[in-house]
Amino acid sequence: MAILRGGQGADDGFFQRQQSRTADFNAGDVGVVPKTLGHYVENVGDTDLIFLEMFKADRFMDLSLSEWVSNTPPELVMAHLGISRETLQAIQSKNP
């Protein structure tokens, strides 16, 4: 669960088969992302984005999508995201 304290944000949750959903948030909004989905938060306003994330877990790891893609065997990435090898290679070539 995340509570947006200030600014304007967008949360993009990504699913298998190249599907994603973007939700826009403003100060005071509360958002929930299912625990099995990857997601990222983006500042879409012209001020700082301030939010509080809470997890029902004793451990949390922040991992960027490009970091996950580069450190996971290609076959697992393709199976999890439902993408072809060509799509994976295109993603990898755009992220240093």
Side-chain angles (χ1 to χ4, degrees):
M1 177 168 69
I3 300 171
L4 189 59
R5 301 284 297 153
Q8 295 176 304
D11 185 284
D12 193 26
F14 43 93
F15 315 89
Q16 290 187 0
R17 307 278 182 231
Q18 302 173 342
Q19 297 176 353
S20 67
R21 179 180 65 197
T22 302
D24 294 324
F25 293 97
N26 294 298
D29 288 345
V30 175
V32 177
V33 176
K35 67 180 179 178
T36 58
L37 300 181
H39 77 108
Y40 66 88
V41 178
E42 178 182 8
N43 183 354
V44 296
D46 55 4
T47 62
D48 288 343
L49 176 65
I50 303 168
F51 65 99
L52 172 67
E53 281 190 290
M54 293 168 273
F55 301 92
K56 188 178 179 181
D58 60 353
R59 182 175 164 181
F60 168 76
M61 294 176 61
D62 187 19
L63 184 70
S64 71
L65 178 60
S66 60
E67 191 174 3
W68 177 75
V69 166
S70 8
N71 291 293
T72 304
E75 293 74 19
L76 291 178
V77 174
M78 291 182 300
H80 183 73
L81 298 178
I83 60 175
S84 68
R85 186 169 298 278
E86 293 76 25
T87 301
L88 177 59
Q89 289 170 340
I91 292 169
Q92 290 173 326
S93 69
K94 291 180 183 178
N95 293 303

